[in-house]
Amino acid sequence: MAGLARSRWPWISLLLSAVLVFNPVGLNLLHSAFFAGEQLARDIAQLVVLTALAIMAVVIGLEWLVRSLIARSRARGVTR
């Protein structure tokens, strides 16, 4: 498969994050986090949303790091 360009862009994690956010449950959780009528419900939902955001950011960062390491090792000719 010569000529196959590999990207360092973490597209798998970004696609998974978009699927998790833009489904009915994710949108409902986002709405609850910022527009809920009760303060307790808003605080709990914000904690869940911010925790999920932090986890998604870590996963995206890890995918970018792994892709960068693979691209660097392939540029040196270590792996095929």
Side-chain angles (χ1 to χ4, degrees), residues 28 47 60 66-67 73:
N28 189 19
L47 178 67
I60 289 169
V66 168
R67 286 177 174 267
S73 68

Side-chain angles (χ1 to χ4, degrees), residues 16-62:
L16 180 63
S17 298
V19 167
L20 290 175
V21 169
F22 294 116
N23 66 44
V25 175
L27 290 174
N28 189 19
L29 190 59
L30 280 173
H31 186 268
S32 296
F34 299 107
F35 302 113
E38 292 185 12
Q39 183 66 35
L40 179 63
R42 198 168 41 238
D43 288 342
I44 292 171
Q46 282 179 354
L47 178 67
V48 171
V49 166
L50 292 176
T51 302
L53 180 67
I55 291 171
M56 287 188 296
V58 167
V59 169
I60 289 169
L62 284 174

Side-chain angles (χ1 to χ4, degrees), residues 1 5-6 8-9 14-16 27 29 32 36-38 48 50 52 56 64 74 76 79:
M1 294 177 38
R6 303 243 182 213
R8 293 183 187 179
W9 188 254
L14 289 173
L15 183 64
L16 180 63
L27 290 174
L29 190 59
S32 296
E38 292 185 12
V48 171
L50 292 176
M56 287 188 296
W64 177 81
R74 286 187 181 191
R76 287 188 318 216
T79 60

